[in-house]
Amino acid sequence: MVERQQLQKMLDTIQEDLLKMGGLAEAIIHKAVESLKNYDLDMAEEVLAMDKIIDALELTIEETCILAIATQQPLANDLRKISAAFKIITDLERIGDHACGIAKVTKKLNKEPLIKPLIDLPRMAYLAQKMLKKTLDAYVSADEELAKSVGDADNEVDSLHDQIFNELVLLMLQEPRNINQAAKLLFVSRSLERVADHAANIAERVVYMISGKRLNLN
Amino acid sequence: MQTNNNNNNNNNNNNVFEVENLNLWYGKTQALKDVSVKIEGRKVTAIIGPSGCGKSTFLKVLNRLISLIPSVKISGSVQFHGKDIFSDGINLVNLRALVGMVFQKPNPFPKSIFDNVAFGPRIHGKKTKSELADLVENSLKKAALWEEVKDRLHEPGVSLSGGQQQRLCIARALANEPEVILMDEPTSALDPSATLKIEDLVRSLREQYHIIVVTHNMQQAGRVSDNTLFFLNGELIEADTTEKIFTNPKDKRTEDYITGRFG
């Protein structure tokens, strides 16, 4: 009983592009933190290039959403899918921007020795990535419970950020020469914390898309 | 508005109609099945559903136009401001003056614009010439037609455009000083700009009247109504705010109809 083929095709395209964009957002976070951990400048450049693709996808998806609203008058479940996509792409685009910020830190630190081994930052990145993956899985399979579970990981990321903040402040107090690098690492930590927030936002939109309920998972 | 399932003890005075367990048969065919709903006042209520779902029948019950059809049998109750419209004491002429109706195709009488609007009040008697003139002017103003016809009130109603004719019919209904206006697909014979004019008019009239609109046009229901009833095969499937019905309907059948996936 597939009717409204035109609208269905647009919805399929939106979902396909959104998953592509989501996959890139997962990968870009991983790459950004790896570039920092390994001081890999080529990888930092790759991050900047990937972000351009994410930006372009945001525009494409936005255009399809607008076209669907303008020409197909979507309602109910269809309307929720489109309005969710409209919001989700903004969060995904911001995730790309945060990854760029991290890649730029890699470039600015320019291989200067690290004041502490990077363990918690990659852990944050891993958690944020996992949140994003869960959210996208929930999006595809319309799994409300899975989307809701994303909030728990966000709390874990937040406490890691607090812990990193304290450590870095301590390092700055101990040795003023640490301040430059510590401030940059603090920025990275803050970026990853924001990425997790965006993932939680996306999960909220997925819950809305599935059930029409508005939750706060942040 | 609540379906009975949602709220059994709602004796809200704001309800214009309270329909309970309404069943209706045309001969042996059942056209309405156990419909229970409360219709709120000072709101626009849209009735949607596929052809033959009973929506126009339901509308015609509300001013008992349905009673003109001899083969019709009805059970259940329909209360208008707490009074059963099928009880013996009901005065049908008064009921239909209070519950006015506008039809799908504009149907002005073969009379002048003025006489079309003055027709009802004249039948109901008591108006003097100047009262009539005031009433006609006011009704045409409320129907957003006055400015277009004030210099040609004595030209035939049928000389107007389709959209103007429909507004004339609305003015004619308003001249009877109704409380409720029933509209049966009031814009299905009109072009988009005339349609939007009628829709604006409906929105403005809701300040003073209770309005119930049957429409095939889903977007119209979205644009004009506060509440929506969805009928299917004679059953009232879902009744809720238009926002809820259009963004997150409860029933799968409503969802399928609203999204055009009706198979």
Side-chain angles (χ1 to χ4, degrees), chain A:
Chain A
M1 190 184 67
V2 179
E3 301 209 5
R4 301 207 62 179
Q5 293 182 0
Q6 250 186 309
L7 173 59
Q8 196 53 53
K9 215 171 149 191
M10 289 179 184
L11 291 170
D12 291 346
T13 308
I14 289 168
Q15 170 159 336
E16 218 172 275
D17 287 347
L18 198 140
L19 286 178
K20 210 185 285 171
M21 195 177 170
L24 283 170
E26 266 180 68
I28 201 172
I29 285 303
H30 177 72
K31 256 193 192 311
V33 174
E34 284 297 299
S35 81
L36 181 64
K37 199 169 104 187
N38 305 324
Y39 270 150
D40 185 335
L41 294 179
D42 290 340
M43 204 180 248
E45 290 301 334
E46 274 174 46
V47 167
L48 301 182
M50 255 171 117
D51 183 51
K52 293 219 163 66
I53 305 173
I54 290 179
D55 288 352
L57 270 169
E58 186 199 16
L59 269 186
T60 308
I61 296 169
E62 191 179 314
E63 276 165 16
T64 317
C65 288
I66 291 171
L67 189 67
I69 292 168
T71 63
Q72 301 296 319
Q73 290 84 42
L75 288 174
N77 170 39
D78 297 333
L79 180 61
R80 295 203 307 278
K81 273 187 191 151
I82 291 170
S83 69
F86 226 121
K87 299 274 279 185
I88 289 172
I89 54 176
T90 308
D91 283 302
L92 289 175
E93 190 271 335
R94 298 292 301 149
I95 290 175
D97 291 348
H98 286 301
C100 283
I102 297 170
K104 283 174 190 160
V105 168
T106 304
K107 286 168 75 177
K108 276 188 193 144
L109 286 181
N110 201 18
K111 307 204 174 183
E112 91 183 34
L114 287 166
I115 54 176
K116 71 186 260 315
L118 294 189
I119 295 162
D120 288 335
L121 284 175
R123 168 115 190 100
M124 275 178 93
Y126 171 75
L127 286 173
Q129 233 178 292
K130 222 171 66 175
M131 284 170 74
L132 199 51
K133 183 171 186 317
K134 242 188 201 179
T135 309
L136 294 170
D137 287 347
Y139 172 77
V140 181
S141 56
D143 186 336
E144 190 181 346
E145 291 311 312
L146 187 62
K148 283 181 186 163
S149 71
V150 166
D152 305 335
D154 189 35
N155 296 334
E156 208 178 322
V157 172
D158 287 348
S159 55
L160 270 172
H161 175 58
D162 291 343
Q163 185 190 319
I164 291 169
F165 178 89
N166 292 336
E167 279 174 33
L168 289 171
V169 167
L170 199 63
L171 284 167
M172 289 191 245
L173 286 171
Q174 283 167 353
E175 175 56 68
R177 270 179 302 178
N178 287 341
I179 288 176
N180 179 49
Q181 192 184 121
K184 287 192 169 67
L185 293 178
L186 200 52
F187 172 84
V188 171
S189 175
R190 168 72 179 155
S191 292
L192 291 171
E193 187 267 327
R194 291 299 300 145
V195 168
D197 287 344
H198 286 297
N201 285 347
I202 296 170
E204 287 170 9
R205 303 319 300 182
V206 171
V207 171
Y208 172 72
M209 181 189 85
I210 298 165
S211 66
K213 284 179 245 162
R214 286 162 209 279
L215 293 185
N216 189 356
L217 295 173
N218 260 313

